[in-house]
Amino acid sequence: MSNTHLSSEALPKHIAVIMDGNGRWAEAQGKPRVFGHKNGVAAVRKTISSAARLGIEAVTLFAFSSENWQRPEEEVGVLMELFLTVLSTEVKKLHKNNLRLRVIGDKSRFSERLQTKIAQAEEKTSANSGMVVNIAANYGGKWDIAQAMKTIAIEVEQGKLSSDSISEDLITSHLSMSDIPAVDLLIRTGGECRISNFMLWQLAYAELYFTPIYWPEFGEDSLIEAVTWFVNRERRFGCTGNQIKALMENQ
Ligand code: IPE
Ligand code: IPE
Ligand code: MG
């Protein structure tokens, strides 16, 4: 047992999550896959509030990948509806808690209605100073690099930039989330050990944590477990889940 005070410096600044396993969680109970997506919303809420209480600077949640359009039309439709509903119900809460919401990804493929909702949510919370919550929707790591390249190429064409000035830092500055720290910890639920075209550049040095539990089962304890694992890997000393918990406000 150790009561040693753990510094919050040891915590990851930016946590990214691949929220996987909704479909399998539902199917295991003989329910349709969309039942899993609906139940995944509670896990999103718990993850955001636990991370905020831990004082994490940014959380990025993979909600819909560029490849997910290939799913059955009905499932995609439910996911889009869910996205709209959740934006409407949750934004007030995020705002009240001083959190900043941002949606990263190619938003142009979403309905006008959804695009408007997203813009309103981002605008409403833009001046907040608490944790940044990034929702990756129609996001792909390859898309992100490609859109950065395109912008850089336009600047070169226009003579604003010379090709000599293309550097790693310049590319980083044109990617999504260039203003927040690189990802320190990536969590993937659902048991698969792959990146599935989530952030590629930004994950260059992230610790990768894979857990077999399905996304709808993920909660505060699961986040603490992942963060404890991270701290012990980075600092190579044995901290406990309770020490991580002690860093939470309003325990
Ligand atoms: C993740 O769960 C949610 C999205 C990709 C939208 P899945 O729907 O991929 O669930 P599994 O992996 O099939 O169980
Ligand atoms: C990754 O999960 C994307 C999201 C969680 C949004 P997928 O279930 O789509 O990934 P694959 O198909 O297993 O690679
Ligand atoms: Mg999946």
Side-chain angles (χ1 to χ4, degrees), residues 18-20 62-65 68 71 188 192 194 196:
I18 302 179
M19 310 184 286
D20 195 25
F62 203 10
F64 193 86
S65 75
N68 287 149
R71 294 192 177 198
R188 180 171 184 148
E192 308 296 350
R194 55 176 173 260
S196 297

Side-chain angles (χ1 to χ4, degrees), residues 81 84 87 110-120:
E81 274 306 311
L84 264 170
L87 272 176
F110 295 138
S111 68
E112 283 294 323
R113 210 169 130 226
L114 187 48
Q115 288 187 46
T116 309
K117 267 252 149 48
I118 290 171
Q120 286 168 345

Side-chain angles (χ1 to χ4, degrees), residues 19-25 33 37 63-64 68 71 75 79:
M19 310 184 286
D20 195 25
N22 291 351
R24 278 165 288 161
W25 179 82
R33 296 177 51 83
H37 297 319
F64 193 86
N68 287 149
R71 294 192 177 198
E75 184 174 338
L79 283 167

